[in-house]
Structures are given as C-alpha cells and as structure tokens.
Amino acid sequence: MPNAVTKSNPAIPRLFVLELNAGCIHAMKTDGSERKTIVTGCHLPDGIVVDVEAGHIYWTNMGIPSLDDGSIERADIDGKNRKIIVPQGYTHTPKQIILDKKGGKLYWCDREGMRLMRCNLDGSRLETLIEAGRGEADSKDQTRWCVGLAIDPKFGRIYWTQKGPDNAGLGRIFRANVEIPAGQTAATRSDIEIFYDGLPEPIDLEIDHKNRILYWTDRGDPPRGNTVNRASIDNKPAESEIVVTHLMEGIGIALDVPNDRMFVTDFAGSIYSARLDGSGERNFLFAQGNLTGIAYAEV
C-alpha cells in the first residue's frame, strides 16, 4: 500500500489543490507551507478526491468542451503511478468528483454532458444516474449544466448543482435518491426535487455529516455570490446562511469537521481557511493561478 500511515510515519493533514491553466496538482500543509507540485500535464483539472486507505488520488480533467475530451485519472498520493481510468470520449466535461469508499464507487458531475455519473474505482461499470439534457441544443442551456455533488449516505441521497448562466440567478441545488427508481431511467426518474433555486452560480458541494449540514461555493456576483453558503439538510431553512464572503469566484471547498475548519479555493488563485461558521477567515495563499478543486486528507 503506497504511503500507508504507520506509527513511525504519523498522518499529517494535507491539502491537495488543482491549478487549472497550469494543469498541476499541488500538495501542501494546511497553512500553505511545504508546497510541492506532485502532478503536471493535466488537461484542465477541476475536481479531486483522496482515498487515504488505498493511497490514491483521483481527479477529473475537464478538457475542452467543444472537443469532448474530458477524462478521469488516478495516481498514488505522491503523484506516481499515474493512470487514466475513464478515457476521453466517455465523459464530456467532468467537474467535482467524490469517493464512496464503502460502495467502491466514484461519482462526478459532467457539465456539458448534463449528467451525474459514477463508476467503480478502476473505471469499470460506468453509469449515468441523472441526465438533465441530451444533445447539442440542450448543452447550450447552462441551467442544465451539472457541476458539484455530494452524497448523504444516511438516507442514500445525492445532492448536485446546476449552475445556470453567469450571474443569472438561475442556479439550483437538487437532490434525489442515489439509485434510479425501478422502471425509470436517468432521464425520466421522478424522485428529483429542487433543494434551492434562484442562486447566483452554485459550484462545489460538501456535507458535514456529523452536523447534517450542506456547504457550497458560489462563483456568481455579490451579495449572494462570491460566497460559501450552508444549510441544514434535514431542517432546510427558507434561505441558506452565507458564512464566507468576498471570494473572487469561489470554486473548491473541503471540510475538516473534527477540527472545525474549511478550506476554499477561488478562481483568482487564493486559498482560504475558516471555521465552519465562517469566523477566523484567513487567506493564506494568493495569486496561485486559476484554482479549482481542493481536497483535505491526513496522509
């Protein structure tokens, strides 16, 4: 097992951050120190997740939408033994990716593909769970673009964002059962409900499972955009709570619930930390290129 944690090698909290235009993955301590570029040559990377137990990172390459050349890759936590597990042509523009370790699945949103997809950890058994549209005409409708996602294992539900056009106030967060209802399809399933609508541009999601709270970034314009928001998933308030403001197009979010902190990236190249209620916000790295996904792990 690569990079397994042992008594002589205690786990160290780390951040894994994607730099879009440079096509890099950086690893660093949670204060930005000891930063190291562990992967280069990614094709517009967007989402990242860490499988600590197996010693792997998985990330999505959005690719260029008009070329339909998105893909998903895996590597060891140190960036070695890199491997394409979902090759070009099978997912259009993959965005945020999450790991269901217990179920042995990867889940991600496919933006211009207007889908929510999953596969086994080796890339096999590729499935579409949600299909918000199909074909070129639908793909021009940004209200159909699926971007961020999170799973609530307690009730077997999946949450995802459809961001809408820039700053149009048409962004939505949906939820549905993870599994397609019997006799239905990804395009016809009847269990989809809108969790929130009228949002500027919701992007990535994370769930605080202990406290049952959904967090998300929004890259739209202020006052409700350029923010981190949160809401209870069991007792949904009429309006979500804004906990972090003044981001420059917020994208990635990672929670460290035991230590009461979150980490957020924005497109202007900043990495922020804050408590889960948004207090103690600190911008500890800035002008780092166009940052997208971020993952927190103790490795």
Side-chain angles (χ1 to χ4, degrees), residues 1-5 9 51-56 75-78 80-81 299:
M1 187 186 299
N3 289 357
V5 174
N9 179 26
D51 181 349
V52 175
E53 194 184 331
H56 289 145
D76 294 344
I77 280 176
D78 60 6
K80 294 178 178 158
N81 296 315
V299 296

Side-chain angles (χ1 to χ4, degrees), residues 152-214:
D152 171 19
K154 182 176 178 182
F155 291 117
R157 280 184 179 151
I158 196 150
Y159 290 74
W160 72 97
T161 61
Q162 290 178 210
K163 82 175 194 73
D166 295 355
N167 306 309
L170 297 176
R172 293 170 292 174
I173 299 175
F174 293 86
R175 70 178 169 192
N177 296 316
V178 171
E179 304 301 336
I180 299 172
Q184 298 181 19
T185 70
T188 65
R189 53 189 300 171
S190 60
D191 62 335
I192 296 171
E193 60 177 300
I194 293 174
F195 189 64
Y196 279 109
D197 61 5
L199 303 174
E201 274 184 273
I203 304 295
D204 284 1
L205 300 177
E206 273 272 274
I207 293 177
D208 168 356
H209 298 284
K210 179 184 172 193
N211 299 299
R212 312 279 304 148
I213 295 173
L214 179 72

Side-chain angles (χ1 to χ4, degrees), residues 46-47 60-62 70-72 91-98 106-118 127 129-130 132 144-150 158-163 172 174 202-205:
D46 188 87
T60 59
N61 296 300
M62 277 190 303
S71 63
I72 297 176
T91 182
H92 195 292
T93 331
K95 298 284 285 177
Q96 188 178 10
I97 187 168
I98 58 175
L106 295 165
Y107 291 76
W108 67 95
C109 276
D110 182 344
R111 190 179 66 189
E112 275 90 343
M114 302 166 286
R115 296 174 289 191
L116 197 156
M117 304 181 76
R118 75 176 172 191
E127 298 173 87
L129 300 177
I130 306 283
R144 299 176 185 269
W145 286 7
C146 304
V147 180
L149 75 170
I158 196 150
Y159 290 74
W160 72 97
T161 61
Q162 290 178 210
K163 82 175 194 73
R172 293 170 292 174
F174 293 86
I203 304 295
D204 284 1
L205 300 177

